[in-house]
Amino acid sequence: MATFLDLLADGAPRAEFDRLLAGSDGDPAELRREYDLALRLQERMRRQDQRERETAALYETASDLTAIRDVDAILTAIVRRARQLLRADMTYLSLNDEQDGASYMKVTDGALTPEFARLRLPLGTGLLGLVAQRGAPYFTEDYQADARFVHRTYIDDAVAGERIRAILGVPLLVEGEVIGTLLAVHRSVRPFPPEEVSLLTSFAAHAAVALENARLFAELDRAHRTMTEHTAAVERAAAAHDRLTDLLLHGGGVDEVAEALAGLLDAGLAVYGPDGALLAGPPVPAGPAWDAAVAESVASGRSVSADGLLVAAAMAGSEHLATLVLHPRQPEPDEAERRTLERGALVTALVLLFARAAAEAEERLGSELLTDLLERRMGAPVRVRERLRRRGASLAPPLVGLAAAVEGMERYAATRIVARLAAGRHGLAGEHHGAVVLVVPGEDPLGLGEELHTALAGAGGEATIGCALSTEPEVAGVRAAYDDARRCLDALLSLGRRGEVADARALGLARLLLGDNGPEAVAEFLTDALGPVLEWDAARGTSLVDTLDAWYAAGGRHKDAAVALHVHPNTVVQRLDRVTELLGRGWRDPDRALDLQLALRLRRLHGG
C-alpha cells in the first residue's frame, strides 16, 4: 500500500499501476482493494489540504475585511475576495431595500455590461431575489434553463448579456435579518459542490459582520462629525453672543454690529432701513424675491432665504426698524449661521432703539435749553454757560437763526433732522410756538436754510423757512436770531409763499408791512437796504445817500439830480457807479428800487 501511495503521491499514471500489478506475486483482488483504498486516502488528503488552504484564505480575508472602515471600500473588497476564493468568473453583491421590497445591485466584480450593475430585482424574483427573500443559499447549474426561479424578461436579458450560466447565491445575515445577497457566477454550465457552498456561506457570514461593523463605524463617524460640528456651532454661537453683547454694553453702533456679524459669519453683510436706505456695510443688489422675503421675515421673525441671500428683519414689537442682508459663501447657510444672523438682527434692533432713545433725550434736552433761552428762564450766566458746555453748544457770534414751518411729515421727525444739523455745528435746535427752530454759529443764513430745506424734502416734508443773522453775543444773539427768523417765516406764510427760504433782505418791504415790527425792525430794514452806502458816507464824508435820494426824486434823470445837488452831471454818474459797487447791479430793479426809496423816505422821517 505504501508503494501505491508513493506512486499516487508522485503522480504516476494508471499504466504504472497496471505494470506493477502484472509483475506482482500477490493476490490481484487484494492489490486492487489496496489501490482503491490508496486512491480514497489520497482524495481525502487532497480535500483536507484544500479545506485547510481555503480556511486559511477565508480567515485571512475576514481579517483583512475587518480592518476596512469605509462601507463602499468594504463592499468592493467583499466581491473581489469572493471571486478569488471561488475562482468565479464574476461576483456581485446586492442590498435589500425594505421600502420598495426589492434588492438592488450595489457592486460587481468581473461584469461585462454596465446595465447589469443597475438591476433592481423584486424580492422572490430570480435566484438573487429568492435568496434575498428566504435567507437561504441557492444555486443553479444553468440559470436560463432552471424553472425553479421566477423569470422576468429584463432580468433574463441582463443575465444573457453577461453570458451567465451557473449561479451560487448566499444571504448576508446580521442578527438573523437578511441585509443582502452575495453571488458567484460561472459563464459555463457546472455544479457547485457542497464545499463551495459552505465556503461562500462562511465568507458571507464574515463579510456581513465586517459590513455591519463598517456601517456602524460610518454611523459613529457621522455622529462624531455631527457632534463636532454642533460643538463648533455652539462655540461660534457663544462667541457671537459674547461679541454682540459686548457691543451692546459698550454702546456700539449699527456699523460695528454689521462689521462684527460679517466677521463672525465670514460673509458680506449689509443693513438697510425700512425705507431701503443703506445703514451699514457694502450694498447688496436686490433680487426679484427681495420684497417678499423681507415681508416674510417681518411676519415670521425668522431669517428667510432669497436669491442666494439670507434676509433677517430687525423688529421692535411690530415695528420694522431695519433689515439685515447676509451674502453667505455657501449656497444654504446652516442653522447656526441663521441663528447668529437672527441674534444679530435682535441686537441691531436694540442698538437702533437705544440710539433713538438717546437721540430723543438729546433732542429733548436741546429743545428745553433753547426754549429756556428764548423764554428768558436761564438764571445766572454761569448756569447758562454750564448747560451750553454739557450740550457741546457754542453761542459765539455771529449766529444764524432758522424758523421753519414743516408740512407732510411728523413734527418729531422734522425736529430730529434739525437736531442733527445743530449737533454737527455746535448749535441748538427744538420746537417753539409751532415752528421748528435752529440756532447755530455761522455767517450764511440762506445757505443753511437751503440745506435744511433739502434735508426735510428728502424725508418727505415741505418746509417754509425764515432765516436771520445776529451779531449780538450769546443769549441776546439767540433771541435776536430767532425773532428775526420768525418774523421772516410769518411774512412768508402771510404772503402764501409756502415752501420758500428767505431772509429779511429777500423780503424787503413785505417784512415791514406783514411783520410785528418796532423801531429796531425799521433800523434793521434801513441797514439791510442802505447799510453799505451809509457806512461809506460815514467813513469818508461823502454824499452818496443824498445823491441817490436826489436821483430818485428827479425820476432817474442825471441832469435834474445834478441841478438839485449843485454838482456837475458827471459827478452824479460817478457817485451812482460807486453805489452800484456797494449795493450790486440789481439795485435799479423795480422791487429793489421800491425798498431803497422806502428806506430813503424812512431815513428822512428819522431826520437822517
Side-chain angles (χ1 to χ4, degrees):
M1 179 174 174
T3 302
F4 292 142
L5 287 176
D6 292 339
L7 288 173
L8 292 172
D10 294 338
R14 180 63 179 267
E16 183 64 24
F17 164 74
D18 292 338
R19 185 191 63 77
L20 185 61
L21 187 60
S24 176
D25 296 333
D27 183 5
E30 183 63 28
L31 290 174
R32 189 173 297 279
R33 281 196 299 272
E34 289 181 6
Y35 182 72
D36 291 339
L37 180 60
L39 283 175
R40 289 196 298 274
L41 182 59
Q42 184 197 40
E43 179 64 19
R44 181 173 298 178
M45 292 172 65
R46 186 190 64 78
R47 291 181 180 177
Q48 181 65 27
D49 183 62
Q50 181 179 354
R51 187 175 295 111
E52 289 177 356
R53 289 198 306 273
E54 290 175 347
T55 300
L58 176 63
Y59 281 104
E60 180 183 352
T61 299
S63 177
D64 291 343
L65 292 179
T66 57
I68 302 175
R69 295 290 180 262
D70 181 73
V71 173
D72 290 334
I74 202 169
L75 289 170
T76 302
I78 286 172
V79 294
R80 186 178 67 251
R81 293 296 184 88
R83 186 182 179 194
Q84 293 171 354
L85 282 175
L86 269 72
R87 298 181 179 84
D89 293 326
M90 179 177 69
T91 49
Y92 54 97
L93 184 148
S94 70
L95 296 177
N96 291 359
D97 189 339
E98 295 181 357
Q99 292 184 350
D100 62 3
S103 186
Y104 63 95
M105 205 70 66
K106 183 65 178 177
V107 63
T108 63
D109 189 68
L112 302 176
T113 61
E115 294 78 14
F116 190 78
R118 295 192 292 267
L119 277 181
R120 293 180 70 87
L121 284 76
L123 297 182
T125 300
L127 186 145
L128 186 154
L130 191 61
V131 175
Q133 182 184 51
R134 299 189 178 181
Y138 282 89
F139 67 86
T140 176
E141 297 180 11
D142 189 355
Y143 175 79
Q144 297 284 28
D146 199 329
R148 292 178 299 162
F149 309 110
V150 177
H151 289 266
R152 294 199 177 183
T153 303
Y154 75 94
I155 298 175
D156 288 351
D157 289 345
V159 170
E162 288 289 336
R163 302 199 300 272
I164 294 173
R165 303 303 294 270
I167 307 174
L168 168 61
V170 296
L172 296 171
L173 299 169
V174 175
E175 296 181 355
E177 180 182 353
V178 180
I179 64 170
T181 306
L182 179 62
L183 300 100
V185 167
H186 289 281
R187 294 190 171 96
S188 60
V189 177
R190 56 153 286 182
F192 287 94
E195 55 268 23
E196 289 189 358
V197 176
S198 177
L199 179 61
L200 190 59
T201 301
S202 298
F203 178 73
H206 289 291
V209 171
L211 180 59
E212 180 66 8
N213 287 341
R215 186 186 65 79
L216 292 174
F217 275 115
E219 290 183 358
L220 183 62
D221 185 57
R222 284 194 298 271
H224 179 263
R225 286 200 304 270
T226 301
M227 182 61 69
T228 302
E229 292 170 358
H230 178 71
T231 301
V234 170
E235 291 176 352
R236 290 198 305 271
H241 176 78
D242 293 343
R243 180 74 179 103
L244 295 175
T245 301
D246 184 65
L247 284 174
L248 197 59
L249 292 176
H250 290 84
V254 175
D255 283 336
E256 292 174 277
V257 173
E259 183 180 355
L261 280 172
L264 289 167
L265 297 173
D266 190 25
L269 186 133
V271 181
Y272 289 89
D275 58 353
L278 183 66
L279 302 181
V284 177
W290 177 280
D291 292 337
V294 173
E296 183 180 346
S297 182
V298 169
S300 65
R302 304 297 298 273
S303 57
V304 177
S305 297
D307 298 323
L309 305 174
L310 193 61
V311 176
M315 305 292 295
S318 60
E319 184 182 1
H320 179 203
L321 298 178
T323 301
L324 279 66
V325 183
L326 182 73
H327 199 297
R329 298 187 184 279
Q330 55 185 357
E332 187 61 32
D334 59 28
E335 194 65 17
E337 291 177 324
R338 285 179 173 272
R339 294 295 168 263
T340 299
L341 182 64
E342 291 165 7
R343 186 178 290 109
L346 175 60
V347 172
T348 300
L350 291 174
V351 167
L352 291 172
L353 285 176
F354 290 161
R356 177 193 292 179
E360 289 175 350
E362 288 290 316
E363 291 162 13
R364 185 171 60 255
L365 291 172
S367 182
E368 291 174 355
L369 177 54
L370 179 62
T371 300
D372 288 344
L373 286 170
L374 297 178
E375 298 291 341
R376 296 172 172 81
R377 296 198 298 257
M378 289 300 299
V382 174
R383 176 171 170 76
V384 174
R385 285 191 288 272
E386 177 59 22
R387 290 183 66 182
L388 289 171
R389 186 190 64 78
R390 289 202 302 267
R391 290 285 308 150
S394 171
L395 298 183
L399 294 175
V400 170
L402 303 181
V406 184
E407 298 175 322
M409 64 185 300
E410 296 292 338
R411 185 66 56 80
Y412 79 88
T415 304
R416 185 168 300 152
I417 291 174
V418 176
R420 283 200 292 268
L421 282 176
R425 290 168 171 78
H426 305 290
L428 297 173
E431 184 181 353
H432 192 64
H433 295 319
V436 177
V437 180
L438 173 68
V439 179
V440 299
E443 299 180 356
D444 184 11
L446 285 176
L448 185 59
E450 291 293 347
E451 183 178 347
L452 176 59
H453 188 275
T454 301
L456 292 170
E462 181 185 54
T464 306
I465 304 175
C467 311
L469 182 68
S470 171
T471 57
E472 296 187 45
E474 295 189 337
V475 177
V478 172
R479 293 169 183 162
Y482 166 74
D483 289 341
D484 287 348
R486 186 60 188 250
R487 281 193 289 269
C488 290
L489 173 62
D490 291 341
L492 285 171
L493 295 175
S494 298
L495 291 170
R497 292 166 59 177
R498 296 184 180 277
E500 293 189 20
V501 179
D503 61 0
R505 184 184 297 274
L507 287 171
L509 175 61
R511 174 168 164 266
L512 286 178
L513 296 176
L514 299 174
D516 182 14
N517 301 298
E520 297 85 358
V522 173
E524 185 176 346
F525 175 71
L526 287 173
T527 300
D528 288 341
L530 295 171
V533 178
L534 292 170
E535 291 175 1
W536 183 275
D537 282 349
R540 292 168 176 78
T542 56
S543 302
L544 294 182
V545 172
D546 293 336
T547 302
L548 187 61
D549 197 6
W551 183 78
Y552 276 124
R557 292 183 293 274
H558 291 67
K559 290 183 179 180
D560 292 346
V563 171
L565 294 170
H566 305 290
V567 297
H568 193 276
N570 287 340
T571 302
V572 174
V573 172
Q574 292 170 0
R575 290 178 180 178
L576 292 180
D577 287 343
R578 178 68 66 185
V579 169
T580 300
E581 292 178 8
L582 296 172
L583 298 183
R585 293 186 179 279
W587 69 269
R588 299 173 189 264
D589 295 341
D591 289 342
R592 186 77 178 278
L594 178 60
D595 289 345
L596 288 173
Q597 290 179 70
L598 179 60
L600 292 169
R601 180 68 57 88
L602 289 172
R603 177 176 174 273
R604 287 198 301 273
L605 291 175
H606 278 271

